[in-house]
Amino acid sequence: MEKALAVNTCLGILKGRDCIYLDEVKQDDANNLTFKGGINGHLISVHQDVQEWFTYTLTFRQVVAYFCCELETYTNYLGGKFQYVSSFDVIEESHLLKSLLLSDDLNKGIYRHYRLFTYDEVFNIIAASYEFKTDS
């Protein structure tokens, strides 16, 4: 069964609809997917309330697939039956990961399924790794 686990960033756990705002998404020719925007300083578990907003850059490396859906549409699509843990999760035992990857890649454990909730959208990303940077 799928299980969502919160990703612990340098700002701790990011949680809440108003936590992650997205200004820019960029895909490059090396299969990297980069998100830039702001993080609400009141909705993080480390350095909470130190500053109102943090700028961030989140880059996923070796992306093999990603899907974006408007937040309310995503909730309706899943019938409200998804496990919301935080605004940035890694999904263990991912059905999406298993359906997309060849068994050799899946068995090597190279790729992971990440889910990112921004204010307006939900991104499901299959990638080898990620890098999270902020102005903290």
Side-chain angles (χ1 to χ4, degrees):
M1 181 191 316
E2 285 190 343
K3 182 177 181 180
L5 301 172
V7 173
N8 194 9
T9 71
C10 60
L11 297 174
I13 304 300
L14 312 175
K15 192 167 186 177
R17 165 106 190 234
D18 293 337
C19 187
I20 301 175
Y21 283 77
L22 183 60
D23 294 331
E24 178 183 333
V25 179
K26 186 176 180 181
Q27 182 177 359
D28 66 22
D29 59 0
N31 293 327
N32 297 314
L33 186 62
T34 301
F35 296 80
K36 292 183 179 185
I39 293 179
N40 185 330
H42 303 292
L43 298 174
I44 58 179
S45 64
V46 176
H47 308 299
Q48 190 173 27
D49 299 327
V50 169
Q51 63 189 62
E52 193 167 343
W53 290 96
F54 294 87
T55 59
Y56 74 90
T57 302
L58 174 59
T59 302
F60 293 92
R61 309 271 184 219
Q62 297 179 29
V63 173
V64 294
Y66 68 94
F67 304 92
C68 177
C69 190
E70 188 270 333
L71 182 62
E72 281 81 14
T73 304
Y74 184 76
T75 302
N76 290 341
Y77 167 70
L78 296 178
K81 298 177 183 178
F82 69 92
Q83 186 182 15
Y84 178 84
V85 175
S86 75
S87 298
F88 183 27
D89 300 329
V90 63
I91 310 300
E92 290 189 343
E93 301 297 324
S94 164
H95 301 299
L96 179 61
L97 189 65
K98 289 176 184 176
S99 68
L100 289 176
L101 296 180
L102 300 172
S103 61
D104 285 347
D105 287 334
L106 187 60
N107 291 333
K108 291 176 188 173
I110 295 169
Y111 299 101
R112 301 199 70 182
H113 177 179
Y114 301 95
R115 185 173 57 203
L116 182 68
F117 288 90
T118 69
Y119 181 78
D120 291 318
E121 294 94 17
V122 179
F123 292 85
N124 284 280
I125 303 152
I126 306 298
S129 63
Y130 74 91
E131 179 181 22
F132 182 84
K133 295 179 182 177
T134 185
D135 62 355
S136 68

mmCIF file with all atom_site columns, all heavy atoms in Angstrom, residues 71-94:
data_model
loop_
_atom_site.group_PDB
_atom_site.id
_atom_site.type_symbol
_atom_site.label_atom_id
_atom_site.label_alt_id
_atom_site.label_comp_id
_atom_site.label_asym_id
_atom_site.label_entity_id
_atom_site.label_seq_id
_atom_site.pdbx_PDB_ins_code
_atom_site.Cartn_x
_atom_site.Cartn_y
_atom_site.Cartn_z
_atom_site.occupancy
_atom_site.B_iso_or_equiv
_atom_site.pdbx_formal_charge
_atom_site.auth_seq_id
_atom_site.auth_comp_id
_atom_site.auth_asym_id
_atom_site.auth_atom_id
_atom_site.pdbx_PDB_model_num
ATOM 1   N N   . LEU A 1 71 ? -5.236  21.695 -7.782  1.00 0.00 ? 71 LEU A N   1
ATOM 2   C CA  . LEU A 1 71 ? -5.402  21.091 -6.458  1.00 0.00 ? 71 LEU A CA  1
ATOM 3   C C   . LEU A 1 71 ? -6.792  20.506 -6.212  1.00 0.00 ? 71 LEU A C   1
ATOM 4   O O   . LEU A 1 71 ? -6.916  19.341 -5.821  1.00 0.00 ? 71 LEU A O   1
ATOM 5   C CB  . LEU A 1 71 ? -5.056  22.113 -5.371  1.00 0.00 ? 71 LEU A CB  1
ATOM 6   C CG  . LEU A 1 71 ? -5.144  21.618 -3.934  1.00 0.00 ? 71 LEU A CG  1
ATOM 7   C CD1 . LEU A 1 71 ? -4.164  20.489 -3.675  1.00 0.00 ? 71 LEU A CD1 1
ATOM 8   C CD2 . LEU A 1 71 ? -4.880  22.759 -2.967  1.00 0.00 ? 71 LEU A CD2 1
ATOM 9   N N   . GLU A 1 72 ? -7.842  21.272 -6.431  1.00 0.00 ? 72 GLU A N   1
ATOM 10  C CA  . GLU A 1 72 ? -9.187  20.756 -6.180  1.00 0.00 ? 72 GLU A CA  1
ATOM 11  C C   . GLU A 1 72 ? -9.541  19.618 -7.137  1.00 0.00 ? 72 GLU A C   1
ATOM 12  O O   . GLU A 1 72 ? -10.204 18.658 -6.755  1.00 0.00 ? 72 GLU A O   1
ATOM 13  C CB  . GLU A 1 72 ? -10.236 21.879 -6.270  1.00 0.00 ? 72 GLU A CB  1
ATOM 14  C CG  . GLU A 1 72 ? -10.298 22.750 -5.040  1.00 0.00 ? 72 GLU A CG  1
ATOM 15  C CD  . GLU A 1 72 ? -9.220  23.833 -4.991  1.00 0.00 ? 72 GLU A CD  1
ATOM 16  O OE1 . GLU A 1 72 ? -8.558  24.097 -6.031  1.00 0.00 ? 72 GLU A OE1 1
ATOM 17  O OE2 . GLU A 1 72 ? -9.021  24.407 -3.906  1.00 0.00 ? 72 GLU A OE2 1
ATOM 18  N N   . THR A 1 73 ? -9.076  19.715 -8.376  1.00 0.00 ? 73 THR A N   1
ATOM 19  C CA  . THR A 1 73 ? -9.315  18.645 -9.344  1.00 0.00 ? 73 THR A CA  1
ATOM 20  C C   . THR A 1 73 ? -8.614  17.359 -8.903  1.00 0.00 ? 73 THR A C   1
ATOM 21  O O   . THR A 1 73 ? -9.176  16.271 -8.999  1.00 0.00 ? 73 THR A O   1
ATOM 22  C CB  . THR A 1 73 ? -8.826  19.069 -10.742 1.00 0.00 ? 73 THR A CB  1
ATOM 23  O OG1 . THR A 1 73 ? -9.481  20.286 -11.100 1.00 0.00 ? 73 THR A OG1 1
ATOM 24  C CG2 . THR A 1 73 ? -9.104  18.009 -11.781 1.00 0.00 ? 73 THR A CG2 1
ATOM 25  N N   . TYR A 1 74 ? -7.399  17.490 -8.381  1.00 0.00 ? 74 TYR A N   1
ATOM 26  C CA  . TYR A 1 74 ? -6.647  16.331 -7.885  1.00 0.00 ? 74 TYR A CA  1
ATOM 27  C C   . TYR A 1 74 ? -7.391  15.672 -6.724  1.00 0.00 ? 74 TYR A C   1
ATOM 28  O O   . TYR A 1 74 ? -7.533  14.448 -6.678  1.00 0.00 ? 74 TYR A O   1
ATOM 29  C CB  . TYR A 1 74 ? -5.255  16.782 -7.438  1.00 0.00 ? 74 TYR A CB  1
ATOM 30  C CG  . TYR A 1 74 ? -4.338  15.679 -7.002  1.00 0.00 ? 74 TYR A CG  1
ATOM 31  C CD1 . TYR A 1 74 ? -3.723  14.848 -7.936  1.00 0.00 ? 74 TYR A CD1 1
ATOM 32  C CD2 . TYR A 1 74 ? -4.044  15.477 -5.655  1.00 0.00 ? 74 TYR A CD2 1
ATOM 33  C CE1 . TYR A 1 74 ? -2.857  13.840 -7.536  1.00 0.00 ? 74 TYR A CE1 1
ATOM 34  C CE2 . TYR A 1 74 ? -3.178  14.476 -5.249  1.00 0.00 ? 74 TYR A CE2 1
ATOM 35  C CZ  . TYR A 1 74 ? -2.592  13.660 -6.192  1.00 0.00 ? 74 TYR A CZ  1
ATOM 36  O OH  . TYR A 1 74 ? -1.737  12.666 -5.797  1.00 0.00 ? 74 TYR A OH  1
ATOM 37  N N   . THR A 1 75 ? -7.891  16.489 -5.814  1.00 0.00 ? 75 THR A N   1
ATOM 38  C CA  . THR A 1 75 ? -8.639  15.963 -4.670  1.00 0.00 ? 75 THR A CA  1
ATOM 39  C C   . THR A 1 75 ? -9.900  15.245 -5.148  1.00 0.00 ? 75 THR A C   1
ATOM 40  O O   . THR A 1 75 ? -10.208 14.145 -4.684  1.00 0.00 ? 75 THR A O   1
ATOM 41  C CB  . THR A 1 75 ? -9.020  17.115 -3.712  1.00 0.00 ? 75 THR A CB  1
ATOM 42  O OG1 . THR A 1 75 ? -7.827  17.771 -3.295  1.00 0.00 ? 75 THR A OG1 1
ATOM 43  C CG2 . THR A 1 75 ? -9.743  16.597 -2.491  1.00 0.00 ? 75 THR A CG2 1
ATOM 44  N N   . ASN A 1 76 ? -10.621 15.838 -6.093  1.00 0.00 ? 76 ASN A N   1
ATOM 45  C CA  . ASN A 1 76 ? -11.827 15.203 -6.648  1.00 0.00 ? 76 ASN A CA  1
ATOM 46  C C   . ASN A 1 76 ? -11.484 13.916 -7.386  1.00 0.00 ? 76 ASN A C   1
ATOM 47  O O   . ASN A 1 76 ? -12.196 12.923 -7.279  1.00 0.00 ? 76 ASN A O   1
ATOM 48  C CB  . ASN A 1 76 ? -12.556 16.158 -7.596  1.00 0.00 ? 76 ASN A CB  1
ATOM 49  C CG  . ASN A 1 76 ? -13.192 17.314 -6.859  1.00 0.00 ? 76 ASN A CG  1
ATOM 50  O OD1 . ASN A 1 76 ? -13.416 17.264 -5.657  1.00 0.00 ? 76 ASN A OD1 1
ATOM 51  N ND2 . ASN A 1 76 ? -13.472 18.374 -7.597  1.00 0.00 ? 76 ASN A ND2 1
ATOM 52  N N   . TYR A 1 77 ? -10.416 13.932 -8.162  1.00 0.00 ? 77 TYR A N   1
ATOM 53  C CA  . TYR A 1 77 ? -9.983  12.767 -8.935  1.00 0.00 ? 77 TYR A CA  1
ATOM 54  C C   . TYR A 1 77 ? -9.741  11.561 -8.030  1.00 0.00 ? 77 TYR A C   1
ATOM 55  O O   . TYR A 1 77 ? -10.109 10.440 -8.349  1.00 0.00 ? 77 TYR A O   1
ATOM 56  C CB  . TYR A 1 77 ? -8.711  13.122 -9.720  1.00 0.00 ? 77 TYR A CB  1
ATOM 57  C CG  . TYR A 1 77 ? -7.992  11.950 -10.316 1.00 0.00 ? 77 TYR A CG  1
ATOM 58  C CD1 . TYR A 1 77 ? -8.545  11.249 -11.381 1.00 0.00 ? 77 TYR A CD1 1
ATOM 59  C CD2 . TYR A 1 77 ? -6.754  11.548 -9.834  1.00 0.00 ? 77 TYR A CD2 1
ATOM 60  C CE1 . TYR A 1 77 ? -7.890  10.165 -11.945 1.00 0.00 ? 77 TYR A CE1 1
ATOM 61  C CE2 . TYR A 1 77 ? -6.092  10.478 -10.384 1.00 0.00 ? 77 TYR A CE2 1
ATOM 62  C CZ  . TYR A 1 77 ? -6.654  9.780  -11.436 1.00 0.00 ? 77 TYR A CZ  1
ATOM 63  O OH  . TYR A 1 77 ? -6.009  8.712  -11.978 1.00 0.00 ? 77 TYR A OH  1
ATOM 64  N N   . LEU A 1 78 ? -9.135  11.802 -6.879  1.00 0.00 ? 78 LEU A N   1
ATOM 65  C CA  . LEU A 1 78 ? -8.852  10.714 -5.957  1.00 0.00 ? 78 LEU A CA  1
ATOM 66  C C   . LEU A 1 78 ? -9.984  10.466 -4.961  1.00 0.00 ? 78 LEU A C   1
ATOM 67  O O   . LEU A 1 78 ? -9.844  9.662  -4.047  1.00 0.00 ? 78 LEU A O   1
ATOM 68  C CB  . LEU A 1 78 ? -7.545  10.997 -5.200  1.00 0.00 ? 78 LEU A CB  1
ATOM 69  C CG  . LEU A 1 78 ? -6.293  11.062 -6.080  1.00 0.00 ? 78 LEU A CG  1
ATOM 70  C CD1 . LEU A 1 78 ? -5.082  11.404 -5.242  1.00 0.00 ? 78 LEU A CD1 1
ATOM 71  C CD2 . LEU A 1 78 ? -6.072  9.745  -6.809  1.00 0.00 ? 78 LEU A CD2 1
ATOM 72  N N   . GLY A 1 79 ? -11.098 11.151 -5.156  1.00 0.00 ? 79 GLY A N   1
ATOM 73  C CA  . GLY A 1 79 ? -12.239 10.955 -4.282  1.00 0.00 ? 79 GLY A CA  1
ATOM 74  C C   . GLY A 1 79 ? -11.966 11.338 -2.834  1.00 0.00 ? 79 GLY A C   1
ATOM 75  O O   . GLY A 1 79 ? -12.567 10.791 -1.914  1.00 0.00 ? 79 GLY A O   1
ATOM 76  N N   . GLY A 1 80 ? -11.020 12.256 -2.640  1.00 0.00 ? 80 GLY A N   1
ATOM 77  C CA  . GLY A 1 80 ? -10.665 12.670 -1.290  1.00 0.00 ? 80 GLY A CA  1
ATOM 78  C C   . GLY A 1 80 ? -9.887  11.609 -0.536  1.00 0.00 ? 80 GLY A C   1
ATOM 79  O O   . GLY A 1 80 ? -9.610  11.754 0.651   1.00 0.00 ? 80 GLY A O   1
ATOM 80  N N   . LYS A 1 81 ? -9.508  10.523 -1.228  1.00 0.00 ? 81 LYS A N   1
ATOM 81  C CA  . LYS A 1 81 ? -8.843  9.400  -0.565  1.00 0.00 ? 81 LYS A CA  1
ATOM 82  C C   . LYS A 1 81 ? -7.354  9.384  -0.884  1.00 0.00 ? 81 LYS A C   1
ATOM 83  O O   . LYS A 1 81 ? -6.861  8.508  -1.575  1.00 0.00 ? 81 LYS A O   1
ATOM 84  C CB  . LYS A 1 81 ? -9.470  8.081  -0.996  1.00 0.00 ? 81 LYS A CB  1
ATOM 85  C CG  . LYS A 1 81 ? -10.916 7.973  -0.611  1.00 0.00 ? 81 LYS A CG  1
ATOM 86  C CD  . LYS A 1 81 ? -11.519 6.693  -1.113  1.00 0.00 ? 81 LYS A CD  1
ATOM 87  C CE  . LYS A 1 81 ? -12.993 6.655  -0.770  1.00 0.00 ? 81 LYS A CE  1
ATOM 88  N NZ  . LYS A 1 81 ? -13.637 5.462  -1.270  1.00 0.00 ? 81 LYS A NZ  1
ATOM 89  N N   . PHE A 1 82 ? -6.653  10.376 -0.415  1.00 0.00 ? 82 PHE A N   1
ATOM 90  C CA  . PHE A 1 82 ? -5.205  10.367 -0.518  1.00 0.00 ? 82 PHE A CA  1
ATOM 91  C C   . PHE A 1 82 ? -4.661  10.778 0.830   1.00 0.00 ? 82 PHE A C   1
ATOM 92  O O   . PHE A 1 82 ? -5.334  11.422 1.630   1.00 0.00 ? 82 PHE A O   1
ATOM 93  C CB  . PHE A 1 82 ? -4.687  11.260 -1.651  1.00 0.00 ? 82 PHE A CB  1
ATOM 94  C CG  . PHE A 1 82 ? -4.885  12.729 -1.419  1.00 0.00 ? 82 PHE A CG  1
ATOM 95  C CD1 . PHE A 1 82 ? -3.895  13.491 -0.822  1.00 0.00 ? 82 PHE A CD1 1
ATOM 96  C CD2 . PHE A 1 82 ? -6.055  13.348 -1.790  1.00 0.00 ? 82 PHE A CD2 1
ATOM 97  C CE1 . PHE A 1 82 ? -4.080  14.843 -0.611  1.00 0.00 ? 82 PHE A CE1 1
ATOM 98  C CE2 . PHE A 1 82 ? -6.243  14.697 -1.583  1.00 0.00 ? 82 PHE A CE2 1
ATOM 99  C CZ  . PHE A 1 82 ? -5.259  15.445 -0.984  1.00 0.00 ? 82 PHE A CZ  1
ATOM 100 N N   . GLN A 1 83 ? -3.443  10.367 1.077   1.00 0.00 ? 83 GLN A N   1
ATOM 101 C CA  . GLN A 1 83 ? -2.830  10.627 2.368   1.00 0.00 ? 83 GLN A CA  1
ATOM 102 C C   . GLN A 1 83 ? -2.037  11.923 2.307   1.00 0.00 ? 83 GLN A C   1
ATOM 103 O O   . GLN A 1 83 ? -0.962  11.966 1.740   1.00 0.00 ? 83 GLN A O   1
ATOM 104 C CB  . GLN A 1 83 ? -1.922  9.449  2.747   1.00 0.00 ? 83 GLN A CB  1
ATOM 105 C CG  . GLN A 1 83 ? -1.338  9.547  4.119   1.00 0.00 ? 83 GLN A CG  1
ATOM 106 C CD  . GLN A 1 83 ? -0.414  8.378  4.412   1.00 0.00 ? 83 GLN A CD  1
ATOM 107 O OE1 . GLN A 1 83 ? 0.002   7.657  3.519   1.00 0.00 ? 83 GLN A OE1 1
ATOM 108 N NE2 . GLN A 1 83 ? -0.088  8.210  5.672   1.00 0.00 ? 83 GLN A NE2 1
ATOM 109 N N   . TYR A 1 84 ? -2.606  12.993 2.868   1.00 0.00 ? 84 TYR A N   1
ATOM 110 C CA  . TYR A 1 84 ? -1.894  14.265 2.923   1.00 0.00 ? 84 TYR A CA  1
ATOM 111 C C   . TYR A 1 84 ? -1.054  14.274 4.190   1.00 0.00 ? 84 TYR A C   1
ATOM 112 O O   . TYR A 1 84 ? -1.582  14.245 5.296   1.00 0.00 ? 84 TYR A O   1
ATOM 113 C CB  . TYR A 1 84 ? -2.873  15.450 2.929   1.00 0.00 ? 84 TYR A CB  1
ATOM 114 C CG  . TYR A 1 84 ? -2.183  16.783 3.035   1.00 0.00 ? 84 TYR A CG  1
ATOM 115 C CD1 . TYR A 1 84 ? -1.690  17.408 1.902   1.00 0.00 ? 84 TYR A CD1 1
ATOM 116 C CD2 . TYR A 1 84 ? -1.972  17.391 4.266   1.00 0.00 ? 84 TYR A CD2 1
ATOM 117 C CE1 . TYR A 1 84 ? -1.037  18.629 1.983   1.00 0.00 ? 84 TYR A CE1 1
ATOM 118 C CE2 . TYR A 1 84 ? -1.324  18.611 4.362   1.00 0.00 ? 84 TYR A CE2 1
ATOM 119 C CZ  . TYR A 1 84 ? -0.858  19.222 3.219   1.00 0.00 ? 84 TYR A CZ  1
ATOM 120 O OH  . TYR A 1 84 ? -0.190  20.418 3.306   1.00 0.00 ? 84 TYR A OH  1
ATOM 121 N N   . VAL A 1 85 ? 0.247   14.292 4.025   1.00 0.00 ? 85 VAL A N   1
ATOM 122 C CA  . VAL A 1 85 ? 1.162   14.305 5.161   1.00 0.00 ? 85 VAL A CA  1
ATOM 123 C C   . VAL A 1 85 ? 1.795   15.675 5.289   1.00 0.00 ? 85 VAL A C   1
ATOM 124 O O   . VAL A 1 85 ? 1.852   16.250 6.368   1.00 0.00 ? 85 VAL A O   1
ATOM 125 C CB  . VAL A 1 85 ? 2.236   13.203 5.010   1.00 0.00 ? 85 VAL A CB  1
ATOM 126 C CG1 . VAL A 1 85 ? 3.259   13.288 6.123   1.00 0.00 ? 85 VAL A CG1 1
ATOM 127 C CG2 . VAL A 1 85 ? 1.582   11.830 4.984   1.00 0.00 ? 85 VAL A CG2 1
ATOM 128 N N   . SER A 1 86 ? 2.279   16.187 4.178   1.00 0.00 ? 86 SER A N   1
ATOM 129 C CA  . SER A 1 86 ? 2.909   17.506 4.166   1.00 0.00 ? 86 SER A CA  1
ATOM 130 C C   . SER A 1 86 ? 2.778   18.080 2.762   1.00 0.00 ? 86 SER A C   1
ATOM 131 O O   . SER A 1 86 ? 2.204   17.445 1.883   1.00 0.00 ? 86 SER A O   1
ATOM 132 C CB  . SER A 1 86 ? 4.377   17.406 4.589   1.00 0.00 ? 86 SER A CB  1
ATOM 133 O OG  . SER A 1 86 ? 5.161   16.862 3.543   1.00 0.00 ? 86 SER A OG  1
ATOM 134 N N   . SER A 1 87 ? 3.370   19.241 2.558   1.00 0.00 ? 87 SER A N   1
ATOM 135 C CA  . SER A 1 87 ? 3.334   19.853 1.229   1.00 0.00 ? 87 SER A CA  1
ATOM 136 C C   . SER A 1 87 ? 4.397   19.277 0.294   1.00 0.00 ? 87 SER A C   1
ATOM 137 O O   . SER A 1 87 ? 4.361   19.536 -0.901  1.00 0.00 ? 87 SER A O   1
ATOM 138 C CB  . SER A 1 87 ? 3.531   21.371 1.354   1.00 0.00 ? 87 SER A CB  1
ATOM 139 O OG  . SER A 1 87 ? 2.486   21.921 2.107   1.00 0.00 ? 87 SER A OG  1
ATOM 140 N N   . PHE A 1 88 ? 5.331   18.506 0.840   1.00 0.00 ? 88 PHE A N   1
ATOM 141 C CA  . PHE A 1 88 ? 6.384   17.873 0.044   1.00 0.00 ? 88 PHE A CA  1
ATOM 142 C C   . PHE A 1 88 ? 6.625   16.485 0.619   1.00 0.00 ? 88 PHE A C   1
ATOM 143 O O   . PHE A 1 88 ? 7.164   16.332 1.713   1.00 0.00 ? 88 PHE A O   1
ATOM 144 C CB  . PHE A 1 88 ? 7.655   18.722 0.075   1.00 0.00 ? 88 PHE A CB  1
ATOM 145 C CG  . PHE A 1 88 ? 8.799   18.215 -0.757  1.00 0.00 ? 88 PHE A CG  1
ATOM 146 C CD1 . PHE A 1 88 ? 8.609   17.440 -1.891  1.00 0.00 ? 88 PHE A CD1 1
ATOM 147 C CD2 . PHE A 1 88 ? 10.099  18.537 -0.408  1.00 0.00 ? 88 PHE A CD2 1
ATOM 148 C CE1 . PHE A 1 88 ? 9.674   16.989 -2.654  1.00 0.00 ? 88 PHE A CE1 1
ATOM 149 C CE2 . PHE A 1 88 ? 11.176  18.097 -1.157  1.00 0.00 ? 88 PHE A CE2 1
ATOM 150 C CZ  . PHE A 1 88 ? 10.963  17.321 -2.280  1.00 0.00 ? 88 PHE A CZ  1
ATOM 151 N N   . ASP A 1 89 ? 6.168   15.463 -0.113  1.00 0.00 ? 89 ASP A N   1
ATOM 152 C CA  . ASP A 1 89 ? 6.247   14.078 0.349   1.00 0.00 ? 89 ASP A CA  1
ATOM 153 C C   . ASP A 1 89 ? 7.038   13.215 -0.626  1.00 0.00 ? 89 ASP A C   1
ATOM 154 O O   . ASP A 1 89 ? 7.130   13.518 -1.814  1.00 0.00 ? 89 ASP A O   1
ATOM 155 C CB  . ASP A 1 89 ? 4.846   13.448 0.444   1.00 0.00 ? 89 ASP A CB  1
ATOM 156 C CG  . ASP A 1 89 ? 3.920   14.155 1.393   1.00 0.00 ? 89 ASP A CG  1
ATOM 157 O OD1 . ASP A 1 89 ? 4.397   14.723 2.390   1.00 0.00 ? 89 ASP A OD1 1
ATOM 158 O OD2 . ASP A 1 89 ? 2.692   14.131 1.143   1.00 0.00 ? 89 ASP A OD2 1
ATOM 159 N N   . VAL A 1 90 ? 7.543   12.126 -0.094  1.00 0.00 ? 90 VAL A N   1
ATOM 160 C CA  . VAL A 1 90 ? 8.037   11.035 -0.925  1.00 0.00 ? 90 VAL A CA  1
ATOM 161 C C   . VAL A 1 90 ? 7.033   9.903  -0.727  1.00 0.00 ? 90 VAL A C   1
ATOM 162 O O   . VAL A 1 90 ? 6.549   9.682  0.398   1.00 0.00 ? 90 VAL A O   1
ATOM 163 C CB  . VAL A 1 90 ? 9.487   10.621 -0.562  1.00 0.00 ? 90 VAL A CB  1
ATOM 164 C CG1 . VAL A 1 90 ? 9.597   10.086 0.844   1.00 0.00 ? 90 VAL A CG1 1
ATOM 165 C CG2 . VAL A 1 90 ? 10.031  9.622  -1.564  1.00 0.00 ? 90 VAL A CG2 1
ATOM 166 N N   . ILE A 1 91 ? 6.684   9.228  -1.809  1.00 0.00 ? 91 ILE A N   1
ATOM 167 C CA  . ILE A 1 91 ? 5.671   8.180  -1.765  1.00 0.00 ? 91 ILE A CA  1
ATOM 168 C C   . ILE A 1 91 ? 6.355   6.825  -1.829  1.00 0.00 ? 91 ILE A C   1
ATOM 169 O O   . ILE A 1 91 ? 7.021   6.499  -2.811  1.00 0.00 ? 91 ILE A O   1
ATOM 170 C CB  . ILE A 1 91 ? 4.666   8.319  -2.937  1.00 0.00 ? 91 ILE A CB  1
ATOM 171 C CG1 . ILE A 1 91 ? 4.129   9.748  -3.049  1.00 0.00 ? 91 ILE A CG1 1
ATOM 172 C CG2 . ILE A 1 91 ? 3.542   7.301  -2.798  1.00 0.00 ? 91 ILE A CG2 1
ATOM 173 C CD1 . ILE A 1 91 ? 3.394   10.259 -1.850  1.00 0.00 ? 91 ILE A CD1 1
ATOM 174 N N   . GLU A 1 92 ? 6.202   6.058  -0.771  1.00 0.00 ? 92 GLU A N   1
ATOM 175 C CA  . GLU A 1 92 ? 6.746   4.697  -0.746  1.00 0.00 ? 92 GLU A CA  1
ATOM 176 C C   . GLU A 1 92 ? 5.699   3.735  -1.305  1.00 0.00 ? 92 GLU A C   1
ATOM 177 O O   . GLU A 1 92 ? 4.504   3.970  -1.177  1.00 0.00 ? 92 GLU A O   1
ATOM 178 C CB  . GLU A 1 92 ? 7.119   4.298  0.681   1.00 0.00 ? 92 GLU A CB  1
ATOM 179 C CG  . GLU A 1 92 ? 8.312   5.044  1.211   1.00 0.00 ? 92 GLU A CG  1
ATOM 180 C CD  . GLU A 1 92 ? 8.790   4.486  2.543   1.00 0.00 ? 92 GLU A CD  1
ATOM 181 O OE1 . GLU A 1 92 ? 8.040   3.753  3.216   1.00 0.00 ? 92 GLU A OE1 1
ATOM 182 O OE2 . GLU A 1 92 ? 9.930   4.798  2.902   1.00 0.00 ? 92 GLU A OE2 1
ATOM 183 N N   . GLU A 1 93 ? 6.174   2.655  -1.908  1.00 0.00 ? 93 GLU A N   1
ATOM 184 C CA  . GLU A 1 93 ? 5.297   1.653  -2.523  1.00 0.00 ? 93 GLU A CA  1
ATOM 185 C C   . GLU A 1 93 ? 4.367   2.306  -3.550  1.00 0.00 ? 93 GLU A C   1
ATOM 186 O O   . GLU A 1 93 ? 3.182   1.968  -3.639  1.00 0.00 ? 93 GLU A O   1
ATOM 187 C CB  . GLU A 1 93 ? 4.485   0.908  -1.459  1.00 0.00 ? 93 GLU A CB  1
ATOM 188 C CG  . GLU A 1 93 ? 5.319   0.178  -0.425  1.00 0.00 ? 93 GLU A CG  1
ATOM 189 C CD  . GLU A 1 93 ? 6.173   -0.933 -1.015  1.00 0.00 ? 93 GLU A CD  1
ATOM 190 O OE1 . GLU A 1 93 ? 5.714   -1.621 -1.968  1.00 0.00 ? 93 GLU A OE1 1
ATOM 191 O OE2 . GLU A 1 93 ? 7.318   -1.108 -0.544  1.00 0.00 ? 93 GLU A OE2 1
ATOM 192 N N   . SER A 1 94 ? 4.917   3.218  -4.318  1.00 0.00 ? 94 SER A N   1
ATOM 193 C CA  . SER A 1 94 ? 4.144   4.008  -5.269  1.00 0.00 ? 94 SER A CA  1
ATOM 194 C C   . SER A 1 94 ? 3.607   3.162  -6.424  1.00 0.00 ? 94 SER A C   1
ATOM 195 O O   . SER A 1 94 ? 4.364   2.483  -7.118  1.00 0.00 ? 94 SER A O   1
ATOM 196 C CB  . SER A 1 94 ? 5.041   5.118  -5.833  1.00 0.00 ? 94 SER A CB  1
ATOM 197 O OG  . SER A 1 94 ? 4.473   5.672  -6.985  1.00 0.00 ? 94 SER A OG  1
#
